[in-house]
Amino acid sequence: MEISQILELFKNDQRIKSIEESVSKPEGRLCLKGLSGSLRAVIQASLLSKGPHLVVMNDREEAAYLYNDISQLCGSKHVSFLPSSYKRSPEYGQKDSQNVLLRTEALSQLHNNNKDLFVITYPEALIERVLSAESLDENRLIINTGDQLDISFITDVLNEYHFQRVDFVFEPGQYSVRGSIIDVYSFSDEDPYRIDFFGDEVDSIRKFNLENQLSKEKLEQVTIVPNLTENQESQELSSLSDYLPAECKIWIESFDFIEQRMKAINEKIAAHTYEVDEEDEEKNYSFLTEKDICNFKSFFKGCQNFPIIALGDDAHLANTTNIEFSSAPQPVFHKNFELLEDNLKEKQREEYDCYILSDNPKQFERLQAIFHDRGIKLKYSEINHSLHEGFIDHDARLCFYTDHQIFERYHKFSLRTEKAKAAQQAISLKELNRLNPGDFVVHIDHGVGRFGGLVTQTVNGKPQEAIRLVYRDNDVLLVNIHSLHRISKFKGKEGTPPKINKLGTAAWSKLKEKTKKKVKDIARELIALYAKRKAEPGFTYSPDTYLQTELEASFFFEDTPDQTKATVSVKEDMEKSTPMDRLVCGDVGFGKTEIAIRAAFKALADNKQVAVLVPTTILALQHYQTFKERLKDFPANIEYVSRLRKPKDIKAALKKLKEGQVDILIGTHRLTGKDVEFKDLGLLIIDEEQRFGVAIKEKLKQLKVNVDTLTLTATPIPRTLQFSLMGARDLSILNTAPPNRHPIITELHVLNEE
């Protein structure tokens, strides 16, 4: 069953019809009470056609989860997210281009009076004033296919809108001109536009993909909108309420909380003043001034002529009609499947229809495997894709349980469509724009040269862009823009300029051959070593048990695609008769440790011991705590050794290890000591391998020749990486960041002794 079909279950709900009647008049005032979990999103999505709707949530995270829920139920084209222009909060004054794009898009949607629309926002976004609707009309350019327009007229307008002319567009607020083609990245869409002219006539308008520059969709009309959050000094500003169409419905989560939050931000912005000279002149270092901000009262005053629906708090509303819902949040199961089984059976006896929702089809398989191993048969329906919070609707006799709550996992939200993700991957053009003339670059066929900028050349009578590379004796090489993959920025020792090659000589080819020969010599020795290792018989682990499935399903975060792939590869290696030797390469926080925990647990299931080698005492303790926390619900004895532990504790741990009473031993190079004896070692995990010396690695080889080895690293040493790339070692790469991973925010502050 698809998630959008949930709305069919509420199609004839009498409560929804009562809401429709109450908000059909401008003075309609409603308070919905008793809404639990994501039932609120379901009720709102059922009223989509009665829009447009503005929903004000308490904070960005709540707004993002509601946006995600309504997008799942109605489709993303009917939902817009209106964020603050700033990365965290307006008082910090650091703008975010993605937020600006989403904000401008939402304002444009409201201004266009789209009926079937939800715009979801929160106090930090509400406090920022926006260009008045009249100013927006004056500051947008509408282009239709067939219009008679001069290219110079469009470029003049774009310059007035403060768009930047570049060679290739890669972010909003840019445009480029190439012959009869103009590429424009407007702030009103996540895709840039390509406008093709035939003389002075607009021949075609298309959206195109930033990554591969290919057309995606043909359009008859486009609206080019500038950044509505900048260059406001000379413009008339207004509150968001001035943008709301006459039929708009306003949903507010908590009047009191939103008012207090907006008041607090106002006070923080007012406090951002510093004395800068003897005359006590004050300067506001925040990007916002009193002119740019509004308070809740002015916003609420502008909303008096619209129907208002309060979600549990009607303190600010007069003549309110209350509608009561009999609902409850999803029960807490704490990963206890007996509780889940009992609850589902009880609800079936009471004639409730039960549904389990999941974003990941693999989770349904895991649940079925757990129930099957327990010999349970339960009646429930599966729904593809998930809501943020499960709920029980007693009036409709429906239960909706989410898999991430059953397994106590983190539930991600997504504010960007796949289009925006593709835009993030368009890094080659972005890097090209960041190269400065004189920077060192390497061409795979011609060697090291200097970047000389972009030039236009005529090929078969048509203008084409090329990259200019300057070599020794000022020889010039022009590289077609479609051969970007053959060029890379030079990376070498800091402060030491490289030797620039000369065109037309064999020096670069000889250098490459010499390097290849050295690599082959090293590889020959190492391959002989690895061939010997491969020939040794290893332990063949048994297939996954339901406990393994339960462990993986209980991971707090949703697996990234790379994590899933790496986990499968590691377990397949362990089930083979030859010893595993796999390198897992991924950035910090990308989930390498979780893969190690799953591999360790698989070894434990077959009564094998696991050694985890780490480079520092702090990391040893950190891994010890992580392994203990993840395996606390399973029978696993975990110990660690490092110089920070007392000698008598280490001695006791090693005694238990020798007797087979310790399943997982975590430690620094102390693990390679002569007194460390395993009863039956099955798996060796090496974390941050690049930080161990050759002597330690030689000792590791003597631990056990045919032991399975899993190496984790964020920065593999060249030898290790080369082995993996040439196939002597297996390689798994974690490229995908975990969902909603917080970006690093850098702030610059004026010196303030406080």
Side-chain angles (χ1 to χ4, degrees):
M1 178 175 170
E2 291 302 318
I3 194 167
S4 56
Q5 292 175 263
I6 291 177
L7 299 182
E8 291 294 316
L9 302 173
F10 290 83
K11 193 173 182 181
N12 300 312
D13 196 297
Q14 201 56 45
R15 299 165 299 178
I16 292 172
K17 290 182 178 176
S18 301
I19 298 171
E20 287 179 1
E21 289 172 17
S22 297
V23 297
S24 58
K25 298 174 184 176
E27 64 276 9
R29 298 290 181 267
L30 261 184
C31 183
L32 308 185
K33 296 190 174 180
L35 291 172
S36 299
S38 289
L39 177 58
R40 171 181 58 202
V42 172
I43 298 299
Q44 289 172 328
S46 301
L47 295 159
L48 174 68
S49 60
K50 303 298 174 185
H53 305 264
L54 176 73
V55 188
V56 185
M57 301 302 290
N58 286 346
D59 57 46
R60 182 186 172 91
E61 191 170 272
E62 279 189 26
Y65 279 121
L66 180 65
Y67 170 88
N68 210 62
D69 282 354
I70 296 179
S71 296
Q72 299 278 34
L73 293 163
C74 301
S76 57
K77 68 177 181 179
H78 295 298
V79 196
S80 284
F81 190 75
L82 182 77
S84 162
S85 307
Y86 299 88
K87 281 186 178 179
R88 289 199 298 182
S89 191
E91 66 264 28
Y92 292 101
Q94 250 193 346
K95 288 200 174 182
D96 181 270
S97 60
Q98 184 65 30
N99 285 350
V100 169
L101 190 149
L102 289 169
R103 186 175 175 84
T104 306
E105 188 179 10
L107 290 170
S108 299
Q109 292 268 41
L110 275 174
H111 188 61
N112 292 340
N113 199 11
N114 293 342
K115 302 291 183 192
D116 297 348
L117 176 70
F118 276 93
V119 173
I120 300 168
T121 188
Y122 53 98
E124 283 83 349
L126 213 57
I127 200 169
E128 287 182 54
R129 288 190 183 275
V130 292
L131 281 183
S132 65
E134 293 78 15
S135 296
L136 177 59
D137 283 330
E138 295 168 8
N139 284 279
R140 60 180 185 165
L141 177 63
I142 299 172
I143 301 174
N144 297 283
T145 304
D147 282 355
Q148 293 290 325
L149 287 170
D150 186 42
I151 290 178
S152 60
F153 166 75
I154 294 178
T155 57
D156 288 344
V157 171
L158 292 173
N159 289 329
E160 276 184 38
Y161 289 171
H162 300 277
F163 275 65
Q164 179 190 4
R165 182 165 179 169
V166 293
D167 295 304
F168 295 93
V169 300
F170 57 85
E171 62 185 16
Q174 296 178 335
Y175 76 96
S176 70
V177 182
R178 298 191 305 282
S180 62
I181 294 173
I182 299 182
D183 289 348
V184 185
Y185 205 152
S186 168
F187 280 91
S188 60
D189 202 307
E190 289 175 316
D191 281 322
Y193 306 130
R194 180 160 288 158
I195 305 163
D196 201 345
F197 284 83
F198 184 76
D200 284 343
E201 183 182 335
V202 178
D203 189 45
S204 68
I205 305 171
R206 290 160 290 165
K207 285 185 180 183
F208 68 92
N209 188 310
L210 272 180
E211 187 179 9
N212 53 28
Q213 300 287 299
L214 296 177
S215 299
K216 296 175 69 172
E217 182 186 346
K218 204 166 183 179
L219 305 169
E220 290 301 313
Q221 184 189 74
V222 290
T223 303
I224 297 169
V225 180
N227 184 346
L228 300 184
T229 67
E230 287 185 354
N231 311 305
Q232 297 180 347
E233 294 81 4
S234 59
Q235 303 288 350
E236 185 185 340
L237 301 180
S238 65
S239 167
L240 179 64
S241 55
D242 295 342
Y243 267 77
L244 305 181
E247 306 83 6
C248 189
K249 316 291 184 288
I250 297 171
W251 304 70
I252 294 183
E253 172 80 355
S254 168
F255 286 90
D256 291 334
F257 181 88
I258 292 165
E259 185 174 15
Q260 288 167 15
R261 181 71 189 121
M262 290 178 75
K263 186 179 177 183
I265 299 168
N266 266 297
E267 288 170 356
K268 282 185 180 178
I269 289 168
H272 273 203
T273 54
Y274 306 101
E275 292 182 3
V276 293
D277 59 26
E278 296 175 354
E279 296 177 8
D280 291 337
E281 286 185 13
E282 289 189 341
K283 182 169 181 175
N284 193 320
Y285 283 92
S286 167
F287 278 86
L288 294 177
T289 63
E290 290 182 12
K291 172 180 176 268
D292 302 318
I293 56 179
C294 66
N295 55 40
F296 183 71
K297 286 179 182 173
S298 65
F299 167 76
F300 186 63
K301 187 178 178 183
C303 297
Q304 294 296 325
N305 296 325
F306 301 101
I308 299 176
I309 304 115
L311 298 167
D313 173 13
D314 60 348
H316 286 249
L317 299 178
N319 305 318
T320 306
T321 303
N322 290 331
I323 295 181
E324 294 279 350
F325 287 81
S326 178
S327 68
Q330 174 175 331
V332 178
F333 298 114
H334 291 304
K335 295 180 273 192
N336 186 324
F337 295 98
E338 284 182 25
L339 288 177
L340 177 61
E341 174 193 347
D342 294 343
N343 183 270
L344 288 173
K345 284 179 176 175
E346 181 191 340
K347 291 303 172 191
Q348 284 161 20
R349 283 195 299 271
E350 294 173 1
E351 297 185 344
Y352 281 71
D353 291 329
C354 298
Y355 299 86
I356 294 181
L357 302 87
S358 176
D359 287 317
N360 185 358
K362 186 85 177 167
Q363 286 295 88
F364 291 133
E365 294 173 23
R366 286 169 174 164
L367 266 176
Q368 288 162 6
I370 290 166
F371 291 144
H372 181 266
D373 286 341
R374 292 172 57 83
I376 306 167
K377 282 193 177 179
L378 295 170
K379 186 183 174 187
Y380 62 87
S381 301
E382 295 174 350
I383 297 181
N384 293 321
H385 300 299
S386 188
L387 297 172
H388 180 48
E389 293 177 312
F391 60 90
I392 299 170
D393 188 344
H394 296 300
D395 295 328
R397 304 194 83 72
L398 295 168
C399 298
F400 294 92
Y401 295 165
T402 65
D403 83 288
H404 56 267
Q405 285 175 286
I406 292 171
F407 290 108
E408 296 184 345
R409 302 173 68 183
Y410 175 77
H411 182 231
K412 69 172 183 175
F413 59 79
S414 175
L415 296 180
R416 301 178 183 181
T417 62
E418 292 305 312
K419 295 182 286 186
K421 288 175 187 171
Q424 283 185 303
Q425 293 162 8
I427 194 71
S428 55
L429 289 175
K430 196 169 182 176
E431 281 186 343
L432 182 63
N433 276 276
R434 286 178 177 171
L435 277 176
N436 297 311
D439 286 353
F440 294 108
V441 291
V442 183
H443 191 290
I444 194 168
D445 297 324
H446 303 286
V448 181
R450 287 182 183 272
F451 178 67
L454 288 164
V455 295
T456 304
Q457 58 177 346
T458 303
V459 180
N460 297 327
K462 292 184 179 179
Q464 284 193 6
E465 283 72 28
I467 299 154
R468 187 170 184 264
L469 301 182
V470 182
Y471 284 85
R472 201 196 300 174
D473 300 334
N474 286 327
D475 289 342
V476 173
L477 177 72
L478 296 179
V479 182
N480 191 288
I481 201 72
H482 299 296
S483 298
L484 272 180
H485 61 282
R486 304 191 72 77
I487 299 171
S488 60
K489 189 168 182 178
F490 177 82
K491 295 179 178 72
K493 191 177 177 183
E494 284 291 328
T496 308
K499 183 181 177 182
I500 294 179
N501 293 100
K502 181 168 175 61
L503 290 178
T505 66
W508 176 249
S509 300
K510 285 178 181 174
L511 181 62
K512 285 200 293 183
E513 285 303 317
K514 190 178 175 184
T515 308
K516 283 178 186 174
K517 188 175 181 298
K518 281 187 179 178
V519 169
K520 282 177 184 173
D521 290 341
I522 298 168
R524 194 176 294 113
E525 296 168 21
L526 292 168
I527 286 172
L529 175 68
Y530 277 86
K532 184 182 175 185
R533 196 172 184 278
K534 287 277 185 186
E536 289 282 339
F539 181 79
T540 305
Y541 289 89
S542 52
D544 287 357
T545 62
Y546 82 95
L547 283 172
Q548 182 81 28
T549 305
E550 202 171 306
L551 172 79
E552 291 175 17
S554 66
F555 183 42
F556 184 63
F557 298 97
E558 182 182 331
D559 287 7
T560 64
D562 295 335
Q563 250 181 316
T564 304
K565 193 175 173 184
T567 302
V568 171
S569 299
V570 167
K571 291 192 294 187
E572 283 176 354
D573 287 355
M574 293 176 75
E575 289 170 18
K576 290 176 183 173
S577 57
T578 52
M580 171 175 72
D581 192 6
R582 180 169 288 275
L583 171 70
V584 176
C585 186
D587 205 350
V588 176
F590 274 41
K592 299 188 296 293
T593 307
E594 175 62 21
I595 293 168
I597 289 168
R598 294 175 186 184
F601 190 75
K602 190 172 180 67
L604 261 60
D606 279 344
N607 299 312
K608 289 283 184 180
Q609 290 175 304
V610 180
V612 183
L613 181 68
V614 295
T616 63
T617 53
I618 291 173
L619 197 55
L621 182 59
Q622 184 183 324
H623 273 333
Y624 173 70
Q625 291 169 341
T626 305
F627 273 71
K628 287 281 278 188
E629 176 62 29
R630 279 293 280 127
L631 301 175
K632 66 182 178 185
D633 298 325
F634 302 93
N637 296 316
I638 304 165
E639 283 286 354
Y640 82 103
V641 292
S642 76
R643 62 182 172 80
L644 294 183
R645 290 200 78 183
K646 292 177 181 176
K648 67 172 186 177
D649 293 337
I650 293 176
K651 193 174 180 181
L654 295 180
K655 184 172 181 276
K656 287 194 283 183
L657 180 75
K658 189 175 179 180
E659 294 167 358
Q661 294 174 27
V662 172
D663 299 309
I664 300 173
L665 183 66
I666 300 163
T668 55
H669 60 276
R670 178 73 179 78
L671 274 186
T672 58
K674 291 178 181 177
D675 56 342
V676 179
E677 291 182 54
F678 290 86
K679 185 182 180 184
D680 189 6
L681 181 63
L683 175 66
L684 171 65
I685 297 168
I686 307 171
D687 196 12
E688 299 296 341
E689 179 231 25
Q690 76 281 1
R691 295 180 65 177
F692 292 104
V694 176
I696 294 286
K697 288 177 186 172
E698 290 303 319
K699 285 184 181 178
L700 287 176
K701 288 174 193 169
Q702 294 162 16
L703 266 176
K704 201 170 182 186
V705 182
N706 60 348
V707 73
D708 283 21
T709 306
L710 180 65
T711 306
L712 315 174
T713 181
T715 50
I717 56 175
R719 189 188 78 167
T720 302
L721 185 60
Q722 174 66 14
F723 261 148
S724 301
L725 294 175
M726 68 194 296
R729 298 179 74 174
D730 296 307
L731 173 68
S732 293
I733 298 177
L734 305 182
N735 272 325
T736 319
N740 307 138
R741 183 173 183 251
H742 290 293
I744 295 166
I745 294 174
T746 306
E747 292 181 5
L748 294 173
H749 288 273
V750 176
L751 176 64
N752 180 1
E753 289 189 2
E754 290 183 10

